[in-house]
Amino acid sequence: MLKRRVEQSVLGLLASRRSIRKFRKSPISEEILHLIVETGQSAPCYFQAYSVIWLKSEQLIESAFETCGTEAIKQASAVLLVCVDFNKLETFAETVTSEHFLNLDAYPAEVLLSVLEVGLMVENMVIASEALGYGTLLLDCGIYECERFTELLKLPNGVIPLTILLIGEKDENPPPRPRWPLETVLHVDGYRPITSKDAEKYLETAEKLLAREGYLLKYANFKGSYSEYLAERFNANKELRQSYNALSSFIRKHGVKV
Ligand SMILES: Cc1cc2nc3c(=O)[nH]c(=O)nc-3n(C[C@H](O)[C@H](O)[C@H](O)COP(=O)(O)O)c2cc1C
């Protein structure tokens, strides 16, 4: 009974959502795009400190592809750069009081809560896209290349690119990707840290699931195991340290005190 209700409701839609990395090139109407962004806006909000920039021109799409190197950018029907927007927030705050928190040296809660609300907004856009029959992909390149996007779009202080959302016609039907078991996510009346055994068990399950799909080879052209892939991904090498230092100082310089 519950299973059928789930399948027939939005829960079924959420359970069958996958990140789509192969799109069939097709146009998207302004009406649909507006509907998706408005649905994003109907998510729970805090200061609505976000902006979505639709990269619509061929030239900007090409620049986004050159910046991120992700092929799906060229096939997507819409390329949206989603930003945390403390520029808008500052103008808004100024209209209310000149002694607002954005003048402080740090406002950690607002930074974190704004990132949370952007996430909720983005997820609403993902769900709206799914409901309308489109597939989606998020790209971390928005934040890693925030300096490049700022320059490209001449973004003012306080507007920090966070992620890129691709929306498009699905050209693949991938299987489920791994998730940690519920007991490592849901804690009742307290908190239980995971053990290295939990981590090993998760890695083993994830390894099998992703290998069945040929995930790493297909999407990252990586021939090793998932643990080898993650070891590279997590590695705090010199290059990563330098790029993180640059990223932190860029974000601070652009008016968001993280
Ligand atoms: C903040 C964020 C950034 C992501 N960045 C990328 C990315 O740059 N490239 C990519 O292929 N997938 C990216 N993803 C998608 C994840 O890889 C994907 O959601 C995860 O592997 C689970 O797969 P599923 O979405 O199909 O369930 C990102 C997801 C999130 C939440």
Side-chain angles (χ1 to χ4, degrees):
M1 180 68 179
L2 180 63
K3 200 170 163 231
R4 243 189 69 207
R5 276 186 63 185
V6 166
E7 279 167 5
Q8 290 170 353
S9 75
V10 71
L11 302 191
L13 189 87
L14 295 181
S16 61
R17 184 213 56 82
R18 310 278 178 263
S19 288
I20 297 298
R21 297 180 175 86
K22 289 185 170 51
F23 297 110
R24 224 171 285 129
K25 188 93 189 138
S26 69
I28 194 164
S29 70
E30 225 165 64
E31 188 186 9
I32 295 282
L33 204 281
H34 289 184
L35 181 60
I36 291 171
V37 178
E38 278 168 356
T39 307
Q41 289 185 266
S42 68
C45 58
Y46 199 59
F47 288 128
Q48 300 180 63
Y50 44 66
S51 280
V52 177
I53 302 176
W54 184 3
L55 306 184
K56 208 172 169 190
S57 75
E58 283 300 322
Q59 203 185 341
L60 280 175
I61 293 170
E62 187 56 37
S63 300
F65 167 67
E66 276 168 18
T67 303
C68 303
T70 306
E71 198 61 38
I73 289 177
K74 292 203 279 190
Q75 267 70 52
S77 307
V79 180
L80 305 181
L81 183 71
V82 186
C83 306
V84 180
D85 191 348
F86 276 27
N87 186 281
K88 183 195 285 172
L89 183 59
E90 185 166 18
T91 307
F92 186 46
E94 289 279 344
T95 63
V96 183
T97 170
S98 56
E99 287 176 28
H100 52 75
F101 61 81
L102 291 169
N103 288 330
L104 297 176
D105 196 41
Y107 31 83
E110 280 75 15
V111 170
L112 291 171
L113 291 172
S114 298
V115 172
L116 171 62
E117 78 166 349
V118 175
L120 295 171
M121 198 267 181
V122 169
E123 177 60 1
N124 257 29
M125 293 199 286
V126 166
I127 298 167
S129 304
E130 283 287 328
L132 293 164
Y134 292 96
T136 57
L137 180 65
L138 280 175
L139 297 178
D140 56 18
C141 162
I143 185 72
Y144 285 118
E145 297 295 340
C146 66
E147 194 163 355
R148 172 80 188 112
F149 283 112
T150 299
E151 182 187 84
L152 191 68
L153 296 159
K154 300 185 176 48
L155 301 176
N157 271 0
V159 181
I160 307 290
L162 195 61
T163 186
I164 290 180
L165 175 64
L166 303 181
I167 301 171
E169 202 179 309
K170 298 175 197 176
D171 198 20
E172 62 171 353
N173 185 16
R177 275 69 186 249
R179 293 295 190 268
W180 285 84
L182 183 67
E183 63 272 20
T184 63
V185 175
L186 176 65
H187 307 261
V188 181
D189 291 341
Y191 178 82
R192 182 186 77 86
I194 63 158
T195 61
S196 49
K197 259 210 162 54
D198 290 324
E200 280 162 20
K201 213 164 134 198
Y202 171 70
L203 260 182
E204 202 181 307
T205 317
E207 192 89 65
K208 280 188 197 140
L209 204 58
L210 294 175
R212 214 178 300 158
E213 187 190 346
Y215 185 89
L216 291 173
L217 203 56
K218 186 166 50 164
Y219 297 120
N221 199 23
F222 188 86
K223 295 189 180 67
S225 68
Y226 184 48
S227 343
E228 284 163 347
Y229 173 78
L230 287 181
E232 276 190 21
R233 183 73 186 74
F234 286 166
N235 194 275
N237 57 33
K238 199 171 150 208
E239 203 181 316
L240 190 82
R241 268 180 249 196
Q242 280 170 350
S243 83
Y244 279 3
N245 285 340
L247 187 59
S248 298
S249 60
F250 175 79
I251 294 172
R252 273 193 81 86
K253 203 173 85 206
H254 275 256
V256 177
K257 294 164 193 161
V258 287

